[in-house]
Amino acid sequence: MSSEADIVVDGENADVSTETTAPVTDVDVDVDIDDSDDDLIEEGEIAGDYLEQLLDVLDFDGDIDLDVEGDRAIVSIDGGDDLTKLVGRKGEVLDALQELTRLAVQQSTGERSRLMLDIAGWRAGRREALSALGAEAAQRVLETGEREELAPMTPFERKIVHDAVAKVAGVSSESEGAEPSRRVVVLKD
């Protein structure tokens, strides 16, 4: 069966002939596709390809998992032996690999990436520990009324602590100092 359709391309009509085997009677189209999620998925795929090549060059084994959480792509590498070597002391190697991966994504897309990289569950574990630290500090400040300064942290770590403190009524937190000695201070309201 042959049919013709009028299609508008750049403001001009173009006749297009199409071959179909049966008429289309019911089409379900989801028009609420979020372009930002598509962009984040693309970021994750680019990062995954880059990290896969890197793991091959370094002769490391690992499974790469891609996810979208909020407004950022999350890439995790798990399952291989010796992956902790890619985390380094206090996550220093992981932070460097994350920046290299962000640069690879930016080079490919032309857009700045906020991608988050986790290796061997290190960031996930760190997030849990920092959330607990923030909640415990908030409770101590609530009970004693005295401000508490925490150890210096990275911006990522401080954000997690601030979020944990914000969940406790009657206390607040702020950051003080200059990098790399910037720290969270918990105060009673």
Side-chain angles (χ1 to χ4, degrees):
M1 168 188 282
S2 179
S3 65
E4 286 195 15
D6 284 336
I7 297 183
V8 177
V9 179
D10 292 332
E12 306 223 356
N13 282 336
D15 290 331
V16 177
S17 295
T18 58
E19 293 293 322
T20 59
T21 56
V24 176
T25 56
D26 188 21
V27 178
D28 218 4
V29 179
D30 184 5
V31 292
D32 292 332
I33 297 173
D34 190 352
D35 287 339
S36 65
D37 278 355
D38 288 345
D39 291 344
L40 294 175
I41 290 168
E42 179 186 5
E43 274 189 32
E45 289 173 351
I46 293 167
D49 291 343
Y50 173 78
L51 290 166
E52 188 174 331
Q53 292 173 4
L54 184 65
L55 289 175
D56 285 344
V57 167
L58 297 173
D59 198 28
F60 278 90
D61 290 325
D63 298 320
I64 297 174
D65 182 41
L66 311 174
D67 198 8
V68 173
E69 191 176 292
D71 62 346
R72 67 173 59 195
I74 307 291
V75 180
S76 301
I77 303 174
D78 291 304
D81 296 331
D82 295 334
L83 284 179
T84 55
K85 291 178 182 176
L86 296 178
V87 172
R89 190 177 72 90
K90 295 184 179 180
E92 292 167 339
V93 176
L94 173 58
D95 287 341
L97 288 173
Q98 178 175 277
E99 285 307 310
L100 287 173
T101 305
R102 286 178 174 177
L103 288 172
V105 170
Q106 181 176 350
Q107 182 180 22
S108 180
T109 64
E111 300 290 325
R112 184 177 177 275
S113 173
R114 295 187 62 237
L115 173 131
M116 182 69 68
L117 175 62
D118 192 5
I119 298 176
W122 189 84
R123 279 200 206 278
R126 187 76 176 134
R127 181 182 301 263
E128 287 178 27
L130 289 168
S131 290
L133 174 70
E136 291 165 6
Q139 286 301 321
R140 283 191 301 271
V141 169
L142 196 59
E143 291 169 8
T144 66
E146 294 182 26
R147 69 185 253 139
E148 184 170 333
E149 291 184 13
L150 302 179
M153 298 177 196
T154 67
F156 165 78
E157 294 170 329
R158 288 193 309 270
K159 167 122 177 48
I160 294 167
V161 173
H162 285 305
D163 290 347
V165 171
K167 293 178 182 176
V168 179
V171 294
S172 61
S173 61
E174 56 188 44
S175 293
E176 289 183 356
E179 296 293 350
S181 298
R182 197 155 169 83
R183 66 186 69 234
V184 173
V185 178
V186 183
L187 310 158
K188 187 164 183 172
D189 288 340

